[in-house]
């Protein structure tokens, strides 16, 4: 981060002096009076001058059409969903401070702006609005574009902007990086230059840290995640360092970990755990003490993602497509569910139980796991108990543990029980409505007294866990019918979350698309024909997400890589429509593909996709200039 010692007046003077002389002829750093200007800004001014941008002119930007903007939203669906909790948290603040929270794609294309409507109007006058690229090449020095190039948090205030009209803005932005250092987008907080936005940069950093930290919640089966910090109090927070290993080799990281260990992104794929931590001995899950490169002690926890480790590819198997995951690694959550989730996390953190209601397969467990992953107890266990699946005779012992010899068939040394296993973490009681009455009383006692009495006697043991219960039944009705204890109901259900069945959601088409992508459809180049996608979105899905995910996996397994799944590939019954009124919007009519223009655009889009959204790289592959690619495809 650069520090601002310059006042607006000294900055203005420096700017005038620097800009009055020919920037590109001498190089800005060679000029007098530039000490007042932070180094990243100077570097950016120089880049803009080298591009021949005229600082006195109005930048020429053409916003995307509504349709193109919608396509950009679709391309960045995962990013937008992922950032939603932080954007919503910043939103309230932005409204109060007269500013805007802005999310962009990896090329600086503004996707969303949220915040103060008064300032949004002013920002729109300088084209700071969705559908406009705010990269340096288009809009000169600005927090978004400059942060994306500098790959770090940057603040650009008033006259530090390259183009005159942008002097009304004061902005702070930071790029959002993926597990492998790839740029996913940028988050920005912009306000009027006249108001000193002292905390903007700090708030953006915290938000981006939290977004990036969540990426490590699901790194893929069999991979090991090492969380580390030199301050044990910061372990388990978004400020901890995180490294991902596959068969002992470093394959992912966050910035905090790289900086703790003095590494950069080049270390990925070429650094082994044993080389990084030669004194660590065997890699074992749990707490470990390590030392960094300079011998300073680090506190660390190693954790292995559940599931079978991916096998090393065999040479002749290279062409075989990767296995289809059993479930998407990151759940598909719409804005409403994200809001419910944010509330559930707050309650869990405050020690208040939550009940999640919904039909089978609506994602009650997925929701609860996500709440656990985001709450303060994320590093402690998530213990799931299905009250309907355990035989009544065993459920008591399973939950409360038992003393040695408590009953015939009991393990010789007794057992701790699931409630104690959840100590420090989160206990998820699935199908709570099916818990026998007798056990309900015992559970109530545990919740009241916060201690567990093992079956067969023994001393009560104190326990501390957060509680989420799930049910597909109407608990209030069960209480009325006398099948569920009213006192337990009031204890566990001060807050209820209802997850809607799929057929009631209006965004089913987006759900289908997002699930398809996350199951690997896009990665294999397999597309869903628009009619097929529409039929999947319109189907009834009594098994909700579980059934839809299962069907998509089957379609993917049957599809040829690079092919398209047509309507006739759907299993019988899927074409059955959801009730009227709940039908999602119809699929957009396919573009007439014969036109030359359409074909050229498609080729450009494909090149952009292949280059991971990198415009320069895509233009190079196509043999056209960046500006042509922008004009034809992005703007
Ligand atoms: N939001 C989601 N995004 C992606 N997949 C999901 C989502 N919710 C559920 N699923 C998929 O559906 C399956 C069932 O989810 P989950 O077990 O959470 O449902 P549930 O409501 O707890 O079901 P049940 O009541 O039958 O226990 C998951 O394995 C996952 O594949």
């Amino acid at each position: 981060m650069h520090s601002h010692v310059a006042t607006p007046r000294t900055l203005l003077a420096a700017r005038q002096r620097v800009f009055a002389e020919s920037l590109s002829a001498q190089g800005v750093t060679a000029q007098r009076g530039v000490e007042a200007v932070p180094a990243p800004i100077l570097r950016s001014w120089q880049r803009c001058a080298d591009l021949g941008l005229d600082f006195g002119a109005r930048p020429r930007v053409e916003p995307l059409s509504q349709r193109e903007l919608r396509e950009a939203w679709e391309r960045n669906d995962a990013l937008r969903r992922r950032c939603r909790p932080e954007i919503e948290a910043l939103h309230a603040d932005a409204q109060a401070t007269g500013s805007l929270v802005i999310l962009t794609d990896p090329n600086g294309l503004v996707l969303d702006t949220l915040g103060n409507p008064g300032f949004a109007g002013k920002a729109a006058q300088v084209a700071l609005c969705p559908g406009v690229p705010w990269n340096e090449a288009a809009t000169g020095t600005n927090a978004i574009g400059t942060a994306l190039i500098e790959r770090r948090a940057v603040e650009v205030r008033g006259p530090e902007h390259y183009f005159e009209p942008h002097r009304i803005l004061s902005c702070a932005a930071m790029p959002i990086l993926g597990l492998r250092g790839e740029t996913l987008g940028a988050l920005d907080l912009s306000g009027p230059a006249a108001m000193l936005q002292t905390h903007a940069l700090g708030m953006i950093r915290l938000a981006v840290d939290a977004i990036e930290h969540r990426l490590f919640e699901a790194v893929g089966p069999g991979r090991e995640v090492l969380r580390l910090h030199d301050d044990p109090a910061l372990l388990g927070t978004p400020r901890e360092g995180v490294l991902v290993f596959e068969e002992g080799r470093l394959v992912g990281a966050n910035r905090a970990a790289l900086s703790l260990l003095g590494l950069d992104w080049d270390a990925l794929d070429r650094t082994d755990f044993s080389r990084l931590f030669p004194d660590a001995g065997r890699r074992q899950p749990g707490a470990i003490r390590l030392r960094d490169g300079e011998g300073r002690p680090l506190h660390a926890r190693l954790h292995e993602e559940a599931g079978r480790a991916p096998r090393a590819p065999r040479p002749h198997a290279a062409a075989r497509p990767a296995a289809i995951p059993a479930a998407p690694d990151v759940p598909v959550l719409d804005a409403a569910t994200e809001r419910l989730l944010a509330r559930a996390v707050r309650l869990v953190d405050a020690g208040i139980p939550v009940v999640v209601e919904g039909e089978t397969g609506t994602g009650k467990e997925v929701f609860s796991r996500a709440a656990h992953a985001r709450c303060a107890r994320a590093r402690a266990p998530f213990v799931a108990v299905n009250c309907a699946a355990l035989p009544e005779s065993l459920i008591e012992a399973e939950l409360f543990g038992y003393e040695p010899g408590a009953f015939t068939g009991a393990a010789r040394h007794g057992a701790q029980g699931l409630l104690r296993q959840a100590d420090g973490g989160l206990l998820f009681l699935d199908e709570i409505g099916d818990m026998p009455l007798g056990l309900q009383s015992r559970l109530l006692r545990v919740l009241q007294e916060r201690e567990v009495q093992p079956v067969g006697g023994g001393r009560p043991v104190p326990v501390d866990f957060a509680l989420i219960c799930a049910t597909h039944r109407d608990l209030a009705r069960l209480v009325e019918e006398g099948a569920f204890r009213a006192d337990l109901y009031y204890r566990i259900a001060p807050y209820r979350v209802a997850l809607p069945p799929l057929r009631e959601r209006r965004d089913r088409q987006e759900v289908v698309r997002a699930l398809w992508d996350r199951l690997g459809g896009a990665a294999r180049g397999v597309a869903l024909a628009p009619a097929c996608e529409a039929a999947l979105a319109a189907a009834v899905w009594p098994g909700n997400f579980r059934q839809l995910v299962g069907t998509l996996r089957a379609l993917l397994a049957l599809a040829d890589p690079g092919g398209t799944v047509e309507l006739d590939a759907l299993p019988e019954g899927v074409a059955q429509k959801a009730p009227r009124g709940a039908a999602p919007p119809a699929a957009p009519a396919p573009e007439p593909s014969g036109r030359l223009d359409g074909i050229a655009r498609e080729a450009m889009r494909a090149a952009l996709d292949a280059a991971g959204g990198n415009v320069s790289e895509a233009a190079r592959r196509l043999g056209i200039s960046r500006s042509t690619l922008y004009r034809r495809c992005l703007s």
Side-chain angles (χ1 to χ4, degrees):
M1 188 176 104
H2 61 262
S3 64
H4 279 273
V5 284
T7 62
R9 189 173 302 173
T10 52
L11 253 179
L12 208 55
R15 179 191 160 90
Q16 273 158 2
R17 203 168 316 128
V18 167
F19 281 40
E21 299 165 35
S22 164
L23 276 170
S24 43
Q26 286 189 36
V28 291
T29 44
Q31 302 199 11
R32 281 178 307 115
V34 296
E35 310 76 39
V37 185
I41 303 290
L42 273 183
R43 284 196 293 271
S44 171
W45 284 356
Q46 182 69 64
R47 285 190 295 269
C48 296
D50 292 346
L51 283 173
L53 301 183
D54 177 0
F55 55 85
R58 263 195 168 268
R60 284 226 310 260
V61 287
E62 277 180 39
L64 301 190
S65 69
Q66 267 308 311
R67 187 170 143 236
E68 288 164 334
L69 179 58
R70 266 201 306 278
E71 284 167 4
W73 283 338
E74 267 168 36
R75 279 198 302 279
N76 292 283
D77 180 58
L79 174 73
R80 295 175 76 218
R81 285 170 190 269
R82 205 164 271 157
C83 298
R84 200 164 283 155
E86 281 69 29
I87 290 185
E88 283 185 3
L90 286 173
H91 179 186
D93 203 80
Q95 256 176 332
T97 56
S99 42
L100 285 180
V101 195
I102 297 170
L103 179 68
T104 80
D105 81 352
N107 297 311
L109 177 81
V110 175
L111 295 169
D112 299 291
T113 61
L114 265 104
N116 186 281
F119 181 65
K122 291 211 185 79
Q125 284 168 15
V126 289
L128 186 53
C129 51
V132 177
W134 274 72
N135 52 43
E136 273 190 0
T139 33
T141 306
N142 73 88
I144 295 166
T146 306
L148 283 170
I149 290 189
E150 296 267 332
R151 280 174 67 79
R152 60 174 169 160
V154 167
E155 202 168 19
V156 179
R157 296 182 180 186
E160 290 175 351
H161 286 91
Y162 189 81
F163 283 112
E164 284 284 333
H166 298 161
R167 278 171 48 180
I168 62 162
L169 303 171
S170 177
C171 314
M174 182 164 172
I176 303 165
L177 303 186
L179 262 54
R180 298 183 57 79
E182 73 279 20
T183 305
L184 304 176
L187 195 64
D188 169 285
L189 201 56
S190 288
M195 268 172 71
L196 200 59
Q197 317 275 342
T198 36
H199 302 301
L201 197 63
M203 281 163 55
I204 284 292
R205 280 166 164 274
L206 284 177
V208 172
D209 280 352
I211 294 166
E212 291 179 352
H213 190 248
R214 260 204 319 278
L215 296 173
F216 291 87
E217 279 171 13
V219 295
R223 286 180 160 186
E224 289 161 308
V225 180
L226 183 70
R227 299 172 183 274
L228 69 176
H229 208 284
D230 49 11
D231 178 352
L234 293 180
L235 214 54
T237 72
R239 289 183 50 200
E240 70 185 355
V242 192
L243 300 171
V244 183
F245 294 91
E246 191 173 306
E247 294 180 350
R249 168 116 345 155
L250 183 66
V251 293
N254 68 357
R255 294 179 246 230
L258 295 179
S259 113
L260 269 171
L261 299 172
L263 301 173
D264 59 34
W265 294 105
D266 286 348
L268 297 193
D269 299 328
R270 53 173 80 167
T271 313
D272 287 339
F273 183 95
S274 52
R275 216 190 89 203
L276 274 178
F277 308 111
D279 308 326
R282 242 160 56 83
R283 298 194 312 273
Q284 271 185 337
I288 30 177
R289 287 185 73 90
L290 301 171
R291 292 188 175 277
D292 68 10
E294 286 164 23
R296 284 175 308 214
L298 291 172
H299 300 265
R301 281 194 80 81
L302 190 68
H303 159 83
E304 186 177 335
E305 191 93 338
R308 205 139 45 90
R311 293 235 187 99
R314 278 170 288 161
H316 62 275
R320 213 189 302 156
I324 302 165
D329 52 356
V330 181
V332 174
L333 304 174
D334 63 348
T337 317
E338 282 284 4
R339 273 194 295 275
L340 293 174
L341 189 57
R343 275 186 223 150
V345 170
R346 279 187 167 202
L347 291 164
V348 163
D349 281 342
I352 296 170
V354 172
V355 165
V356 187
E357 298 171 329
E359 289 179 8
T360 181
T362 44
K364 299 184 290 296
E365 180 165 346
V366 164
F367 179 94
S368 307
R369 282 188 186 275
H372 169 249
R374 294 183 195 181
C375 79
R377 296 169 181 263
R379 302 273 69 81
F382 174 95
V383 176
V385 182
N386 187 328
C387 305
L390 286 172
E392 196 172 335
S393 54
L394 276 188
I395 191 169
E396 188 172 14
E398 284 286 341
L399 277 180
F400 303 95
Y402 52 86
E403 291 288 287
F407 54 91
T408 323
R412 199 150 51 91
H413 303 292
Q416 197 184 35
L418 292 165
L419 296 190
R420 278 172 66 192
Q421 279 178 30
D423 192 31
L426 191 147
L427 178 69
F428 174 65
L429 291 179
D430 202 1
E431 308 298 5
I432 185 81
D434 293 306
M435 184 177 261
L437 271 170
L439 271 186
Q440 291 178 22
S441 323
R442 288 203 62 178
L443 177 65
L444 180 64
R445 209 167 319 129
V446 172
L447 297 180
Q448 276 167 347
E449 287 158 25
R450 301 254 141 216
E451 52 185 33
V452 169
Q453 174 86 55
V455 174
R459 265 195 287 147
V461 187
V463 278
D464 161 41
F465 51 75
L467 181 68
I468 300 187
C469 300
T471 181
H472 67 279
R473 307 178 64 173
D474 182 347
L475 282 185
R477 176 109 150 260
L478 291 180
V479 171
E480 273 168 31
E481 291 166 358
F484 202 85
R485 287 185 65 125
D487 43 8
L488 180 60
Y489 175 68
Y490 297 127
R491 186 101 205 172
I492 63 168
Y495 185 76
R496 288 154 55 209
V497 172
L499 298 183
L502 264 186
R503 64 182 170 281
E504 282 176 15
R505 285 177 57 161
R506 301 196 62 83
D507 64 337
R508 288 199 300 266
Q509 201 145 340
E510 285 97 82
V511 170
V512 169
R513 266 183 221 151
L515 286 174
W516 186 254
D517 267 5
R518 285 174 208 192
L519 290 169
R524 290 160 182 248
V526 185
L528 287 172
C532 177
E533 190 181 273
L536 285 164
V540 182
W541 303 121
N544 295 297
F545 268 103
R546 184 179 283 115
Q547 192 186 5
L548 174 57
V549 166
T551 304
L552 294 178
R553 291 186 72 226
L555 291 177
L556 200 49
L558 292 171
D560 293 325
T564 300
V565 181
E566 300 293 344
L567 190 60
D568 59 6
L570 291 184
E572 240 176 275
V574 167
Q576 201 186 342
K577 286 259 177 6
R580 293 183 107 225
E591 255 204 284
S593 54
R595 283 185 301 140
L596 208 54
D597 193 42
I599 295 170
R601 265 171 182 261
E602 258 167 44
M604 289 179 192
R605 292 247 155 79
L608 265 172
D609 283 348
N614 182 325
V615 181
S616 310
E617 175 61 19
R620 200 185 55 73
R621 289 188 195 185
L622 288 163
I624 60 176
S625 72
R626 292 178 79 238
S627 54
T628 307
L629 183 57
Y630 253 115
R631 194 163 31 78
R632 299 286 303 275
C633 200
L634 293 174
S635 62

